[in-house]
Every structure is written in structure tokens, then in C-alpha cells.
Amino acid sequence: MTTRFEELDWKPTPIGDISLRRRRDPLSGDDVYEVKLGDEFLMSSLFTEGEIALARLGLAPLAHHPGLDVAVGGLGLGYTAHAALQEPGVRSLTVVDTLGEVIDWHRRGLVPLGTALGSDDRCRLVHGDFFAMVLEGHGLDPQTEGRLFHAILLDVDHSPRHVLHPSHAALYQPEGMSALSRLLHPGGVFALWSNDPPDDDFVSLLASAFQDAAAHVVEFPNPLRGGTSTNTVYVAVKASAPEPKA
């Protein structure tokens, strides 16, 4: 058993004070882990369906592809990364987070999935700015510049229109989507979590940089408000390599 409420860590960061706290849910008796940036809630272990769906929907187009190299932007509580590792065919997982404090939570075992991610040899946690790494063209693997991935899954901002930092906005423009597409193998997938309803304009933007693009609504129960809530997962598939001429 834990105390009813406990702040496990608090640190100042370049984008604001970040804190990790654990509280006991009065209805279920389970521990709930929450992350706040300043006064704003970023994530909660009460609501993980959208993060898990990001991995499942993002990797679904590659279901029959062995030896997948996957990158995740945004570690958080680790649910997207953990779900990706459960998918068949995933050979390697590179998880990029701009906050070393979040990576440290996992390495110290302060969050439930930290041990599982840390003990999986396929998983590597990278401290870096996902957005700068994409937009500046260096790529998402500091050890191999320009490395290509079969899938890139992103869960950092609230949505393409509601970003956590102004520097992120450039990724959700045509040049940003093109830069991201260049880091994917032919036939590779980019998937994005959003807390907003589907945005037709953003689907059109994805379609301009990828062969196929769609928005998926993920519905889940909301024990705090009652009823259900929704997230959106965008999935865009890069064109496959052209068939060689006979």
C-alpha cells in the first residue's frame, strides 16, 4: 500500500517545472501515476488507451513485416513504448524524450513500466529533442545519422494545433512532414496521438507528404467525468519503393 498522495519527483526544466506524483484511487484502490508540467496535467495512468492504440494502429500496416525498427517520440509513462514492444516483428525500439528527468524516472523504477522497458534489450532511451532532430535532418538515432525506421510514433503535444512549445509547431507544416517522411523506409508509417477530435486539414497535410493518411477515433471510459472520452490517432503510410522495370 502507498500513502494516499505522494510527489515522487519534481524538477525545473527548460519547458517548465515537471512533477511525477502517485495517488491512490478511492474507487479502485489502485495506484494512479500522474505527470504535470507546471499546473497542466500531461498524462495519467488512468487513461492509457490512446497511447496503447498509437502503437497498435501505427504498427498495424506493418503486421507482416519482420525485423521492424521503430522510433517513439515522447517517453512519458512508457505505455506507447511498452505496447510497441508487444507487437510481433519489432526488432528495435528507440525512444526519444527531451526531458532527461522523465528518462531518469524509468531508470530509477519510479514508474510502473520502467523496469520492463529497461530490461528489454531491444529498447533504448535517448535524451534528445525529437523535433529538432527531425527538422535539422540529423535523425532520431544519435549513433547513426539519418537512420531510417519502419515506423515513427509521436506522442508529445496535445495536438498539432495545441503544442507544448512553440518550436514544435514547424513539424506540423509541409516541410516538417517531408523531413519526417525522409526518416522512414519506403512503405514506413508515421502515427501521431492527439487529444483533439480529428482535424481534416491535418489529414490533408499528411496526405500531401504520404501516400495514405487517416484519422482513427479511440474511445475509452472516463472514470473521472463519467461516460466516455476520445483521442485521435493519425496514421500515414509512406509510398513503397517503385517496382523495378522488367
Side-chain angles (χ1 to χ4, degrees):
M1 298 291 289
T2 65
T3 57
R4 182 164 181 164
F5 175 87
E6 183 179 7
E7 187 172 75
L8 301 177
D9 197 23
W10 174 94
K11 291 286 193 311
T13 78
I15 60 173
D17 297 340
I18 193 165
S19 61
L20 171 67
R21 64 188 205 173
R22 178 176 59 199
R23 64 177 177 85
R24 190 179 306 148
D25 184 82
L27 297 178
S28 67
D30 295 333
D31 284 341
V32 177
Y33 291 79
E34 297 170 330
V35 179
K36 292 183 69 178
L37 185 65
D39 294 325
E40 184 176 14
F41 278 94
L42 288 186
M43 62 199 73
S44 169
S45 61
L46 271 180
F47 307 106
T48 62
E49 290 86 352
E51 296 167 57
I52 293 170
L54 173 62
R56 291 178 177 168
L57 291 168
L59 295 179
L62 302 166
H64 304 294
H65 194 303
L68 296 175
D69 297 316
V70 180
V72 172
L75 174 58
L77 292 173
Y79 287 94
T80 296
H82 186 260
L85 290 170
Q86 310 311 304
E87 292 295 310
V90 173
R91 172 174 59 192
S92 73
L93 183 70
T94 302
V95 187
V96 179
D97 202 290
T98 190
L99 298 175
E101 294 81 2
V102 173
I103 294 174
D104 187 53
W105 295 343
H106 285 262
R107 290 177 174 163
R108 291 164 59 194
L110 293 181
V111 291
L113 295 177
T115 300
L117 296 180
S119 63
D120 195 315
D121 292 339
R122 297 172 296 166
C123 181
R124 182 158 56 99
L125 306 182
V126 174
H127 180 204
D129 184 336
F130 176 95
F131 298 87
M133 294 164 81
V134 171
L135 294 169
E136 293 173 7
H138 301 302
L140 298 172
D141 185 348
Q143 297 179 0
T144 307
E145 184 165 343
R147 178 187 176 191
L148 299 184
F149 292 89
H150 298 96
I152 298 175
L153 316 174
L154 179 58
D155 177 9
V156 173
D157 295 308
H158 296 305
S159 75
R161 295 183 184 270
H162 298 96
V163 297
L164 290 181
H165 192 275
S167 64
H168 298 181
L171 183 74
Y172 307 110
Q173 300 300 320
E175 297 81 2
M177 289 294 103
S178 295
L180 196 149
S181 176
R182 289 193 290 271
L183 297 178
L184 288 168
H185 286 289
V189 178
F190 168 59
L192 172 72
W193 176 92
S194 171
N195 197 41
D196 287 351
D199 183 330
D200 290 341
D201 289 341
F202 185 65
V203 174
S204 296
L205 173 62
L206 287 172
S208 70
F210 296 87
Q211 184 176 53
D212 297 304
H216 303 265
V217 175
V218 180
E219 189 173 277
F220 53 90
N222 189 326
L224 297 181
R225 298 179 180 175
T228 59
S229 293
T230 61
N231 292 157
T232 301
V233 174
Y234 298 95
V235 178
V237 182
K238 185 176 178 176
S240 298
E243 294 291 333
K245 293 182 180 180

